[in-house]
Amino acid sequence: MAEGLRPFRLRGRGGSQKFGVAAGSLRGLLRKGCRLLQVPLAGSRLCLYEDGTELTESYFRALPPQTELVLLGPGESWRGCECGGAGPTGGELGAGEGLFKRVRTPRRQKLLADLIHNLSENILAEERADDEKWFEGLESRFKNKSSYMRYSCESRIRSYMKEVSSFISNVHPTARDAYKGIIDLMSDKLKSVKYNGCYFDRREEEAARLCTTEGWFSCQGPFDRDDCPCKHSINPYSNRESRILFSTWNLDHIIEKKRAVVPELAEAVKTRDGREVNWEYFYQLLFTVHNLKLVHIACHKKTNHNLSCDKTKIYRKGKQNHKIS
């Protein structure tokens, strides 16, 4: 094999046959693949077989030999293989800059560690002055990585609060004042915990954050599974590309916000009949990891979850006041 060339396993979008192709650049691999599979070069692209991550030149340089790829023609898409069964062997790592698969064998763990070392030299850098490229495109008010990541999480939680507030127009007129009162209580609670920005802040205590001390996040899997079948993971602290890619990950409501939680809250306020709505239960469902899962876009199922609130928790048992704990 010519110096600089690396072997890959390539297949088409709708085919199961795999071809060995060697190339030294992403463009070269794409050109060879299109010629081999008789796909027009214009508009074609390559992605990882396992999770559908589209390759850039930097991703290509990070890939280990024998990684399995899919060639997509114009207009085609690929969201990843069915991960529940036996997967590919040589390309199981499926690593790219800032997006890696969790691996368990020592050989692949070593490969992963080498990739992290080579690609993410500034992974532990925190201040803007120590990794200026990471902050490209961000406002100057963000002085360190964790402050931006905290802001990113806060923004997501704020958007959920905005949806809850805007739903008031759907609430029965006689219940709107009570609904507004609950919104105010939730808003005060969120302000007191800084909109749970701790979830994305690697400086926080382990119990409060969703990442490691280095900033690695792992997909928690679809709403109807206990884990991620594809072992998606990412470190948005490592480089700018990973930071941007992390914005495609979702904080997914297990019991759905729009279909279940908010309508149930509105109904509870309307039919309370002297009972006190357990607003803290709804708060947990809407804004905390009691009901939120961090998921890779490929694990974010947008179908109806068909889950509902616990009817026994909608109203408080006994007399309690509204004091925020």
Side-chain angles (χ1 to χ4, degrees), residues 6 10 71 133 151 160 179 187 190-191 197 227 263 307 309:
R6 289 181 295 142
L10 186 64
L71 175 63
K133 188 175 180 181
Y151 165 79
Y160 301 159
Y179 187 86
S187 295
L190 283 172
K191 290 174 184 176
D227 58 7
L307 297 172
C309 301

Side-chain angles (χ1 to χ4, degrees), residues 198-199 204-211 289:
C198 57
Y199 292 158
E204 284 285 346
E205 295 295 325
E206 183 176 0
R209 51 180 159 81
L210 294 175
C211 60
V289 290

Side-chain angles (χ1 to χ4, degrees), residues 90-109:
E92 282 178 336
L93 184 53
E97 182 175 325
L99 181 61
F100 300 97
K101 307 293 289 179
R102 181 182 298 167
V103 291
R104 297 183 178 180
T105 64
R107 182 179 66 82
R108 293 190 179 114
Q109 286 175 341

Side-chain angles (χ1 to χ4, degrees), residues 178-193:
Y179 187 86
K180 176 63 165 57
I182 288 176
I183 289 175
D184 291 341
L185 288 167
M186 289 182 173
S187 295
D188 289 342
K189 179 70 172 180
L190 283 172
K191 290 174 184 176
S192 74
V193 296

